[in-house]
Amino acid sequence: MSYTDTVKLVERIFGITISAPYDRKTKLLSRKKNDTPFLDKMRIVFREEAEKLHR
């Protein structure tokens, strides 16, 4: 399903019109921050613990 098809489906389901859907998508993606600091820390701890086991 393409992005355009998804937008049309959402518009039909909710009875709304989404103006300039590609502009909205671009703005949304530009606001995205690194949302994985916890996973990054867990990856570091996992590697450290794995190294301890293999020594």
Side-chain angles (χ1 to χ4, degrees), residues 23-50:
D23 291 341
R24 290 179 181 271
K25 180 181 177 183
T26 300
K27 288 179 185 177
L28 174 70
L29 293 175
S30 71
R31 290 192 315 252
K32 187 174 186 284
K33 303 278 191 249
N34 181 6
D35 56 358
T36 63
F38 177 74
L39 293 176
D40 293 340
K41 290 178 185 175
M42 289 297 294
R43 187 178 297 118
I44 292 168
V45 170
F46 178 81
R47 286 182 186 151
E48 290 171 352
E49 293 299 317

Side-chain angles (χ1 to χ4, degrees), residues 2-14 16 18:
S2 71
Y3 179 70
T4 304
D5 293 336
T6 304
V7 170
K8 288 178 184 177
L9 180 63
V10 168
E11 287 178 328
R12 192 172 22 178
I13 289 172
F14 292 104
I16 61 172
I18 300 174

